[in-house]
Structures are given as structure tokens and as C-alpha cells.
């Protein structure tokens, strides 16, 4: 094929890069279309039409995105260099970094919108925000003010808005506790100190008219969710908020050292002013304004609008109080208008169809988890009570069942136990063990009898105890040496069913009673070669370790299972995975000193082999084998004491040093006087003053 005609030289290369960046910008500012499995704005109508049969009301784009201009070559080189310096963060002290930040802000004055919308320099804006002071963040807020509606929709500037909101949120709480002080310089200049609360409220007023469109925008929905969370006072760094706020493709911008300001104050619920709560209510009302139940339900299956809808409902349940849920204008009542929620109503049919939808089921999970108690009870009795066994078998609806089980009361859980246990064999075949694991954990918390679960698992995995764990963990009877190490690790990590089986077995070991005995009996019935393969398996080894750690409840495992490993201690200790099993044997033999000594004798007999491997050296150190060989009586006395569990050699050396020093001081008090005149010493004990005669 003929090659493309290109001009050589640095100038032509720079010109080509500049044209490519301009084309990328124009592409980013165009109306987003369906790409890579995601819906864009123009596909909302088609997607809703496919669900409901016709095209419901949709929102129009507010206006075309403005073009803020491009940075010239010199400015791009400067800001890229500044970005690399801020990422490394290798400044001598805080003053040098503050001076550098001030210079960057001075150079970026008037170019903030260009930098935020630049593909190559928007990362610099995010790092600047991470290291900025309160006054600098307020200055950026003022620069972005009036342009938030356009910045939200931009591919790169939307990330800058998220970083600005995230780092400005703790300042609102700080200003509520202590009002900011106005410096003499600002007072003389006549500058007005605007609070961070006011800046957030200005942003809400700017976005209020276009909230309906921003919900379905591919880029604007993320900063909009973050703004809702900040105004509601919800935790910013909790796992639930993180899954709703961040996309999986989002790039993590950070600073290499730990000198950056910490956001620790955002880990728990935050104190927010009452004006924020009123602003949240206004945003919820503005988001659903003009939408009836028919159109609102179409957003429940929209891949972009669904997370926003989840967040709006969660805020309505938590922040807007329960009385707002009862009103007809609330989001919950608009989504499920039927009252009461009886079988056969449109609301129950909608929830039923939504539970099987890959996107809509997440909204049902949120409703089940956060709905008021009476609403959840009514919804459970009208639909979920009779369908919980059928829902558990479905790949998508199983996640809804997990949330339902976690919220059931003791009486409802006892009633739901029978229909779920009837389908446990099907759940095992389809690898839906997460439902069984959640059921066991909830039954243990509610103190519900778990014998029906053990019986159902026995019929599902086999009545023969020696085959139960092999089927549950999907163990391969081939030794690991016959498979290449890298291929074996790759196969183990890709097998999700094996991981879920291991998690189920560990959960059963944590539930005393028939479920724990189910696993213990299976381990005891296994042959030694199978136990060795299990100890070296990265996933199955966790079950063996959990069984050894809980051996205080079942002492028979220490007497019957551990002796099976005699003769294989060296092989297991030198293995990367099985060495953790040898460490767990120390805990399992707390009351069985003769077993512990037998294992220690076998370790001491293979000292050279253990010291030649990393795993062997770790086992040698954890078992304190140096003390065992030199001072065996001391090792036995320390091993018998419960405080010795988990202590290292350094800890024992420190204790001996402190005890020796204390004994020396008591036996020779006159030799332990401090040096110097003693003029500044505080008197110890009884103090008497003797006068002159």
C-alpha cells in the first residue's frame, strides 16, 4: 500500500499535534452518541420507545458548547512541565511548593477555562485543585461561575469540576464551625469574602433550569451526582457513594507524596448548612419537573440516568425525611403511585420487570435497602414474599434477593428459609452461592436455625463427606507440579465459581453448628494427597486456614487433621501458598503442645532447606525456631503462654531487655543515679527540709 505523504521536521510535527488536539476538542463538544455500549443523549428516546412503545418527553440540550480557545505551544509546554513537577511533588518544603503554586496560578490567570477543557493540560488543573488553599479554590469557583452548565458537559472539564467540588466540600464544614477571618490586605482593598456555601448555592441556581437534561448526559451526570452528595451531607468516601459517583474508566489523579491535604474529614457524615438541604429538595423537584410516572420509569432502565435516579431516591429517603415520601409530588410516589402496593397493580408489575433488568435491578436494590420500613414491608408482602425463591435463581435478580435477605426480620427470614432452601441445588449448579452465603450470615445474626440449609447443601454437594469440598472448591486432583506455575495462577484467578465456593465454605466455618461441622467432617474425611493439593491451591487454602484458626471450637481437628501433614511439613513450608497453612498450625496447636513440638522438630530437621527459600524463612521466623534450637525450655514456656501468640523475635528481645533493666535497677539502686548536679530533678518519695541548728 502507498504510504501517507508526510512532511518532516519539528514544526510540521507540532502543527500536526495542534490540529489533532483541535479535532479532538470539536469531537468532544459534539452531541454524544451511542458508543462502546453506552447510550448518549440522542438515544434516550429510542431506548424509551423500545421499552414503552412510543417516545416520551425528553429534554433538549441547553445550548451548544462554547469554544474557549486553545493554548499555544509555549503555554502547553509550560503547563505540562508544571504538571510533571506537581505529580512528583519533590519540593524541599511547603514554602517552595506554595511559591510554585502561586506562580502557576499567576501564569494560568485568565486561561482557566482553556486549561480545564484541554486534553493534555486538564490533569494539571486537577492537581492544582488537590494542592490549592481555600482562597485559591474560591478563586477557581469564581472563574468557573457562569460556565458550569457547559463545563459539566465537557469530556475533560467535567473531571475538573468533580475535583473542585470534592476538595471544596470540607471547607463548607470548616466555615460553619469557625467563620473565616478577613485579612488586613483584603479589608484595605475592599474585597468581599464570599463563603464556600454561597458559591455552591450559586452553582445550584445556575444548573436549576437544565437539571432534567444533565441527568442523561454522559459527562454531566458524574459532577451532578457529586454535587447532590455534597449538598445532602452524605459521606463522600463510603463504598456505596463511591460506586455511584465514579466511573470505572475514571483516571485517578494523585500526588506521589503524602504531603497533600487530606480529605479525612469527608469519610463520615458531614455537617452542612440548612440552605444545602433546601437546595437538595429544589434539585430533586427540578429533576423530575414535567415528568409523569410513564416518563420517569423510562429513566429507570437508562444506563446514565439510572445512577442519578438511585441517588435522588436515596437522598429523599435519608435527608428529605419520611413525611416527604408520603406526598404525591415525591419521587418515590411518582415512581410507584399505587397505595397500597397490592398484587396486580402497575407498581408491583413494574418492580417485577425491573428486578430482571441488568440496569433497573440496581434501582430495586437501592429501594429495598433504603426505603422506609413500612414501605419495604408492604412491597415485600405484595411481591417478594412469594417470588423470592424464583428470583434467587436468576442471574440478575439474585442481587435484589441478597438485599432483601439482609433486611428481613427474624419471622420473615424463617418463612423465607423454606422456599430458598428448595432451590439451593439449582443455585449451586448455577454458581449463585452469594445468595446462600448472605442467607447464612443473616441467619447467624438473627439467630435462626440453620439445619435446613445444611441438609440442602448436603444434597447439592453430595452426601459423601470426602467429595463435598472437592465439589465445592472444584479442586483438581492433579499435583501442581504437572502444570506451569504461571498458567496455574491464571486459571485459578479466572475461575470465579471456585472463589465463590471458597467464600461460602469460609462463611460456613464461621457459623457454629451444623454448617461448621459440615466443613470439618469433609476435611477430616479427605486423604493426605488431596489435603496437600488443597494447601497449595491459592483459593482452597483459605478454607484450610480458616478451619485451623477456628479449631478452638472443634478441638478434634487439631488431633486428627494436623497429624496428616507429618512428613510434608518441609514441602508445605517452602511453598508460597501452603506456608500460610503452617503458620495457621501454630494457632491450632495452642492447647496441643505435643503436636506443636512434633511440627517444630520436623522444621528443625530441614533448617538448610527452609533458609534457602523466602517462604521457608518466613515460617522459620514465625515459629521462632532460632529460640527453639538454642533455648528450648524458653521456647516451650513462651509457646504455652497465650500472650506469645503472634509475637516476633524482636518483641521477645525487647521484653527481655526491659525485664533485665528493671531487675538491675531494683538490685542496685545506688548505681542508677542520674548524672549532673541534680538541681533540676524532681524529688521522689518523701521530701523533708532540714534547717540550720
Amino acid at each position: 500500500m502507498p504510504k501517507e505523504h508526510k512532511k518532516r521536521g519539528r514544526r510540521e510535527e507540532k502543527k500536526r499535534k495542534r490540529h489533532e488536539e483541535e479535532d479532538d476538542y470539536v469531537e468532544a463538544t459534539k452531541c454524544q452518541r451511542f458508543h462502546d455500549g453506552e447510550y448518549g443523549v440522542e438515544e434516550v428516546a429510542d431506548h424509551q420507545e423500545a421499552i414503552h412503545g412510543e417516545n416520551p418527553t425528553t429534554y433538549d440540550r441547553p445550548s451548544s458548547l462554547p469554544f474557549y480557545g486553545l493554548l499555544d505551544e509555549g503555554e502547553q509546554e509550560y503547563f505540562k512541565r508544571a504538571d510533571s513537577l506537581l505529580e512528583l511533588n519533590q519540593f524541599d518544603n511547603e514554602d517552595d511548593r506554595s511559591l510554585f503554586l502561586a506562580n502557576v496560578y499567576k501564569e494560568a490567570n485568565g486561561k482557566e477555562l482553556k486549561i480545564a477543557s484541554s486534553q493534555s493540560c486538564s490533569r494539571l488543573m486537577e492537581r492544582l485543585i488537590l494542592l490549592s488553599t481555600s482562597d485559591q479554590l474560591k478563586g477557581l469557583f469564581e472563574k468557573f461561575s457562569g460556565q458550569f452548565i457547559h463545563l459539566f458537559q465537557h469530556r475533560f472539564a467535567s473531571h475538573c469540576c468533580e475535583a473542585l467540588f470534592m476538595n471544596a466540600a470540607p471547607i463548607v464544614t470548616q466555615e460553619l464551625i469557625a467563620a473565616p477571618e478577613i485579612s488586613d490586605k483584603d479589608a484595605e482593598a475592599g474585597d468581599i469574602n464570599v463563603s464556600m456555601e454561597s458559591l455552591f448555592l450559586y452553582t445550584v441556581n445556575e444548573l436549576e433550569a437544565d437539571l432534567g437534561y444533565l441527568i442523561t448526559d454522559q459527562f454531566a451526570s458524574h459532577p451532578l451526582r457529586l454535587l447532590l452528595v455534597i449538598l445532602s451531607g452524605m459521606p463522600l468516601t463510603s463504598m456505596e457513594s463511591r460506586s455511584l459517583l465514579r466511573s470505572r474508566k475514571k483516571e485517578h489523579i494523585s500526588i506521589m507524596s503524602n504531603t497533600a491535604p487530606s480529605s479525612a474529614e469527608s469519610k463520615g457524615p458531614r455537617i452542612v448548612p440548612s440552605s444545602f438541604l433546601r437546595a437538595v429538595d429544589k434539585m430533586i423537584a427540578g429533576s423530575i419537573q414535567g415528568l409523569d410516572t410513564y416518563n420517569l420509569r423510562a429513566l429507570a432502565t437508562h444506563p446514565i440516568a439510572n445512577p442519578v435516579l438511585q441517588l435522588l431516591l436515596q437522598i429523599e429517603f435519608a435527608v428529605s425525611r419520611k413525611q416527604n415520601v408520603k406526598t404525591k409530588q415525591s419521587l418515590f410516589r411518582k415512581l410507584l403511585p399505587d397505595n397500597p402496593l397490592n398484587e396486580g397493580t402497575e407498581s408491583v408489575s413494574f418492580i417485577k420487570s425491573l428486578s430482571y433488568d441488568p440496569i433497573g435491578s440496581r434501582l430495586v436494590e437501592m429501594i429495598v435497602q433504603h426505603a422506609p420500613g413500612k414501605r419495604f414491608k408492604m412491597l415485600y408482602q405484595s411481591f417478594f414474599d412469594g417470588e423470592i425463591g424464583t428470583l434467587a435463581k436468576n442471574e440478575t435478580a439474585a442481587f435484589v434477593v441478597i438485599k432483601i435477605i439482609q433486611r428481613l426480620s427474624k419471622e420473615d427470614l424463617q418463612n423465607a428459609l423454606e422456599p430458598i432452601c428448595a432451590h439451593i441445588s439449582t443455585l449451586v449448579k448455577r454458581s449463585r452461592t452469594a445468595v446462600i452465603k448472605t442467607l447464612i450470615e443473616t441467619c447467624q445474626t438473627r439467630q435462626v436455625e440453620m439445619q435446613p440449609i445444611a441438609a440442602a447443601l448436603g444434597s447439592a454437594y453430595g452426601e459423601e463427606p470426602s467429595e463435598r469440598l472437592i465439589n465445592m472448591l472444584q479442586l483438581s486432583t492433579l499435583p501442581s507440579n504437572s502444570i506451569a506455575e504461571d498458567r496455574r495462577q491464571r486459571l485459578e484467578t479466572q475461575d470465579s465459581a471456585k472463589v465463590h465456593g471458597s467464600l461460602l465454605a469460609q462463611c460456613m466455618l464461621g457459623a457454629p453448628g451444623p454448617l461448621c461441622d459440615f466443613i470439618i467432617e469433609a476435611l477430616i474425611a479427605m486423604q493426605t494427597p488431596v489435603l496437600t493439593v488443597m494447601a497449595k491451591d491459592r483459593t482452597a487454602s483459605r478454607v484450610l486456614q480458616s478451619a485451623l484458626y477456628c479449631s478452638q471450637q472443634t478441638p478434634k481437628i487439631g488431633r486428627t487433621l494436623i497429624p496428616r501433614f507429618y512428613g510434608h511439613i518441609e514441602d508445605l513450608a517452602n511453598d508460597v501458598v501452603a506456608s500460610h497453612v503452617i503458620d495457621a498450625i501454630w494457632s491450632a496447636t495452642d492447647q496441643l503442645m505435643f503436636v506443636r513440638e512434633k511440627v517444630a522438630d520436623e522444621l528443625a530437621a530441614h533448617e538448610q532447606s527452609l533458609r534457602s527459600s523466602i517462604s521457608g524463612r518466613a515460617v522459620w521466623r514465625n515459629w521462632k525456631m532460632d529460640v527453639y534450637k538454642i533455648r528450648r525450655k524458653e521456647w516451650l514456656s513462651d509457646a504455652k503462654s497465650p500472650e506469645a501468640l503472634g509475637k516476633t523475635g524482636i518483641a521477645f528481645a525487647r521484653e527481655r531487655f526491659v525485664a533485665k533493666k528493671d531487675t538491675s535497677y531494683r538490685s542496685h539502686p545506688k548505681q542508677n543515679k542520674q548524672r549532673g548536679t541534680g538541681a533540676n530533678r524532681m524529688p521522689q518519695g518523701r521530701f523533708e527540709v532540714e534547717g540550720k541548728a
Side-chain angles (χ1 to χ4, degrees):
M1 288 182 63
K3 294 184 178 179
E4 181 185 358
H5 178 68
K6 295 182 179 180
K7 293 183 180 181
R8 299 175 63 185
R10 290 178 297 176
R11 293 182 180 178
E12 292 297 331
E13 182 69 19
K14 291 181 180 179
K15 188 184 297 184
R16 185 180 61 82
K17 288 183 178 179
R18 186 173 180 179
H19 286 312
E20 286 179 358
E21 183 173 353
E22 191 174 32
D23 293 340
D24 290 341
Y25 181 88
V26 173
E27 249 183 66
T29 56
K30 288 181 180 179
C31 182
Q32 303 299 326
R33 299 191 59 84
F34 183 79
H35 183 65
D36 291 339
E38 293 185 351
Y39 286 95
V41 176
E42 296 182 358
E43 278 65 36
V44 177
D46 298 335
H47 183 68
Q48 293 170 341
E49 186 177 357
I51 297 174
H52 295 284
E54 60 182 79
N55 186 10
T57 304
T58 55
Y59 291 97
D60 298 327
R61 177 182 287 276
S63 61
S64 59
L65 297 182
F67 180 66
Y68 298 114
L70 295 174
L71 300 169
D72 57 36
E73 296 176 4
E75 290 170 344
Q76 286 189 12
E77 292 297 328
Y78 172 79
F79 289 128
K80 286 181 181 178
R81 174 66 176 168
D83 182 33
S84 62
L85 291 175
L86 287 176
E87 182 181 8
L88 295 175
N89 200 21
Q90 295 177 350
F91 299 97
D92 294 335
N93 49 51
E94 293 287 336
D95 295 335
D96 291 348
R97 190 178 67 181
S98 300
L99 182 61
F100 180 77
L101 286 174
N103 291 331
V104 175
Y105 267 106
K106 184 178 180 181
E107 184 67 27
N109 187 25
K111 308 167 189 173
E112 292 86 358
L113 297 177
K114 290 183 182 181
I115 297 173
S117 58
S118 173
Q119 180 180 5
S120 57
C121 298
S122 60
R123 296 180 182 86
L124 168 67
M125 181 62 70
E126 294 188 57
R127 288 197 176 90
L128 276 176
I129 292 171
L130 288 175
L131 299 171
S132 296
T133 61
S134 175
D135 294 335
Q136 290 169 340
L137 291 177
K138 290 180 180 180
L140 276 179
F141 248 111
E142 294 175 358
K143 296 289 184 181
F144 288 175
S145 182
Q147 301 294 328
F148 276 114
I149 186 65
H150 305 301
L151 296 175
F152 270 36
Q153 302 171 63
H154 196 276
R155 179 181 179 182
F156 309 116
S158 59
H159 296 287
C160 298
C161 294
E162 290 183 53
L164 180 61
F165 292 159
M166 181 70 75
N167 288 272
I171 301 176
V172 177
T173 306
Q174 294 173 7
E175 291 182 350
L176 281 177
I177 298 174
E181 298 180 357
I182 302 176
S183 62
D184 297 337
K185 183 178 180 180
D186 294 338
E188 292 176 0
D191 295 338
I192 301 175
N193 187 16
V194 182
S195 64
M196 194 65 76
E197 174 189 353
S198 302
L199 293 173
F200 272 108
L201 295 177
Y202 294 156
T203 306
V204 174
N205 293 334
E206 181 183 344
L207 303 173
E208 183 180 2
D210 302 304
L211 287 173
Y213 169 78
L214 297 178
I215 285 177
T216 57
D217 187 83
Q218 182 180 4
F219 302 123
S221 64
H222 293 284
L224 181 62
R225 296 176 214 169
L226 181 59
L227 182 60
L228 285 167
V229 171
I230 290 173
L231 294 175
S232 64
M234 293 171 58
L236 293 173
T237 56
S238 63
M239 292 300 297
E240 187 175 359
S241 299
R242 195 179 305 169
S243 62
L244 285 175
L245 296 180
R246 293 185 179 181
S247 172
R248 295 179 181 178
K249 300 178 182 179
K250 181 176 174 60
E251 181 182 358
H252 181 63
I253 304 296
S254 60
I255 309 297
M256 290 193 66
S257 68
N258 295 326
T259 56
S262 174
S263 59
E265 54 265 36
S266 63
K267 291 184 179 180
R270 295 169 294 104
I271 303 174
V272 294
S274 58
S275 58
F276 275 19
L277 302 180
R278 293 192 296 269
V280 166
D281 294 337
K282 185 167 63 173
M283 290 184 71
I284 294 176
S287 301
I288 62 176
Q289 186 179 5
L291 291 178
D292 56 4
T293 301
Y294 186 76
N295 296 320
L296 188 60
R297 288 177 177 177
L299 299 178
T301 53
H302 191 275
I304 298 173
N306 179 274
V308 185
L309 207 59
Q310 292 182 51
L311 190 57
L312 290 174
L313 275 171
Q314 185 177 346
I315 292 173
E316 187 176 81
F317 291 149
V319 180
S320 300
R321 309 304 176 201
K322 296 179 181 179
Q323 58 268 20
N324 289 0
V325 181
K326 300 178 182 179
T327 61
K328 293 183 179 180
Q329 298 302 321
S330 68
L331 179 59
F332 181 77
R333 285 296 303 274
K334 231 174 189 180
L335 196 64
L336 304 174
D338 295 311
N339 190 16
L341 296 172
N342 294 329
E343 180 66 31
T345 59
E346 290 186 4
S347 299
V348 174
S349 301
F350 171 68
I351 289 293
K352 181 177 181 180
S353 61
L354 214 60
S355 300
Y356 293 98
D357 188 84
I359 299 172
S361 61
R362 296 180 181 273
L363 183 64
V364 182
E365 291 179 44
M366 198 284 309
I367 293 175
V368 168
Q369 188 174 2
H370 297 282
K374 291 183 179 179
R375 292 284 173 179
F376 168 74
K377 190 81 171 178
M378 189 183 304
L379 190 62
Y380 175 75
Q381 292 177 351
S382 60
F383 169 63
F384 294 118
D385 191 9
E387 300 288 336
I388 192 167
T390 308
L391 291 170
K393 295 188 297 182
N394 186 265
E395 181 181 4
T396 302
F399 295 99
V400 180
V401 174
I402 288 174
K403 298 296 181 181
I404 294 172
I405 292 174
Q406 291 174 346
R407 197 163 179 190
L408 288 179
S409 61
K410 183 176 181 179
E411 293 76 13
D412 292 334
L413 186 61
Q414 288 175 342
N415 297 331
L417 198 60
E418 183 178 353
I420 296 178
C421 289
H423 296 89
I424 279 184
S425 298
T426 308
L427 294 177
V428 169
K429 291 178 182 178
R430 299 180 182 180
S431 299
R432 307 278 185 267
T433 54
V435 177
I436 308 173
K437 177 176 174 292
T438 306
L439 183 64
I440 294 172
E441 292 173 347
T442 311
C443 287
Q444 186 179 0
T445 304
R446 304 284 193 272
Q447 297 181 356
V448 177
E449 179 60 37
M450 290 179 280
Q451 181 61 40
I453 304 176
L457 287 173
S459 60
Y461 286 112
E463 298 294 340
E464 188 66 29
S466 59
E467 300 293 330
R468 290 174 183 172
L469 272 183
I470 296 178
N471 297 331
M472 184 181 293
L473 303 176
Q474 299 183 5
L475 282 174
S476 175
T477 55
L478 294 174
S480 60
N481 297 331
S482 61
I483 307 176
E485 181 66 21
D486 56 346
R487 184 171 178 270
R488 180 171 68 92
Q489 294 180 10
R490 187 167 62 253
L491 290 174
E492 290 176 2
T493 54
Q494 290 177 353
D495 195 353
S496 60
K498 190 174 184 178
V499 174
H500 285 291
S502 175
L503 292 174
L504 175 62
Q506 294 175 54
C507 177
M508 294 171 67
L509 283 169
L515 293 176
C516 183
D517 297 338
F518 183 92
I519 303 296
I520 297 299
E521 291 173 2
L523 286 172
I524 294 175
M526 281 184 172
Q527 300 296 325
T528 302
V530 181
L531 285 174
T532 306
V533 172
M534 182 178 177
K536 295 181 179 181
D537 189 281
R538 291 181 178 273
T539 307
S541 176
R542 302 273 186 175
V543 180
L544 195 54
Q545 295 173 41
S546 300
L548 290 171
Y549 280 124
C550 73
S551 59
Q552 288 82 2
Q553 300 177 358
T554 54
K556 61 180 179 181
I557 195 172
R559 297 177 181 272
T560 36
L561 185 63
I562 297 177
R564 304 271 187 87
F565 295 112
Y566 290 166
H568 303 276
I569 299 296
E570 177 200 0
D571 183 28
L572 297 178
N574 287 324
D575 189 80
V576 177
V577 179
S579 59
H580 297 285
V581 177
I582 303 299
D583 292 337
I585 290 178
W586 175 275
S587 302
T589 55
D590 191 22
Q591 304 298 328
L592 302 171
M593 287 303 301
F594 67 95
V595 179
R596 184 176 290 184
E597 285 188 70
K598 180 69 175 178
V599 176
D601 288 339
E602 192 166 343
L603 289 173
H606 302 89
E607 178 181 1
Q608 187 176 359
S609 174
L610 294 176
R611 290 187 181 274
S612 62
S613 68
I614 298 177
S615 304
R617 288 195 296 269
V619 172
W620 187 273
R621 181 177 61 253
N622 294 335
W623 275 71
K624 301 177 280 292
M625 293 303 299
D626 289 328
V627 181
Y628 177 81
K629 291 190 66 177
I630 301 173
R631 300 183 297 274
R632 189 160 184 173
K633 290 184 178 179
E634 181 180 344
W635 184 88
L636 290 173
S637 61
D638 291 341
K640 291 178 181 178
S641 62
E643 294 86 3
L645 187 61
K647 287 187 178 180
T648 61
I650 295 295
F652 284 112
R654 287 172 180 168
E655 290 179 359
R656 288 194 299 270
F657 176 77
V658 171
K660 184 178 179 181
K661 185 177 180 181
D662 186 50
T663 305
S664 175
Y665 182 84
R666 291 179 180 177
S667 58
H668 305 285
K670 294 183 180 180
Q671 298 178 4
N672 290 277
K673 293 183 179 180
Q674 295 185 3
R675 297 180 181 179
T677 60
N680 295 324
R681 286 179 57 196
M682 293 295 295
Q684 303 292 328
R686 188 175 178 181
F687 182 66
E688 297 180 358
V689 179
E690 296 182 0
K692 293 184 179 181

